[in-house]
Amino acid sequence: MERELVIRDLHEQIENLARLHIRHGLYHSEGFRLHREHIRSFIAEHNIDVRKELDPMVGLLYRRYFD
C-alpha cells in the first residue's frame, strides 16, 4: 500500500508539471526547473523504476519532460 501512495504522489507531481507547461506556459521559469529537480530527487529517493511503475499516460509525460 505504501508503494502505491508513493507512485500516486509521483503521478500527481508529473501531471502538475505538465499543467505548468501546457496551461500556464511556464516551461522556462525557475519554478518549473525547481519542480523538475524535486521530481528527480523524489524518484531517486524512492528508487522508482519509471519505465515499469508509471502508468502509460504519465509515462509519456515523464519522457516528454525528462528524457
Side-chain angles (χ1 to χ4, degrees):
M1 184 66 167
E2 171 81 21
R3 189 64 172 183
E4 291 174 13
L5 293 176
V6 168
I7 299 301
R8 187 178 316 146
D9 187 28
L10 179 59
H11 282 177
E12 290 174 7
Q13 290 181 45
I14 292 171
E15 289 169 349
N16 287 338
L17 186 73
R19 274 188 218 99
L20 285 174
H21 176 221
I22 295 167
R23 288 189 185 165
H24 304 290
L26 299 174
Y27 186 74
H28 298 292
S29 72
E30 181 69 13
F32 187 88
R33 186 187 65 75
L34 291 173
H35 194 62
R36 281 184 60 203
E37 288 178 12
H38 172 74
I39 292 171
R40 281 191 177 127
S41 66
F42 185 85
I43 290 169
E45 178 184 332
H46 294 286
N47 297 317
I48 298 172
D49 182 348
V50 294
R51 305 283 181 202
K52 293 180 182 178
E53 296 185 77
L54 294 180
D55 78 25
M57 217 39 190
V58 176
L60 287 172
L61 290 173
Y62 175 82
R63 285 191 295 278
R64 178 178 185 177
Y65 294 109
F66 292 93
D67 283 347

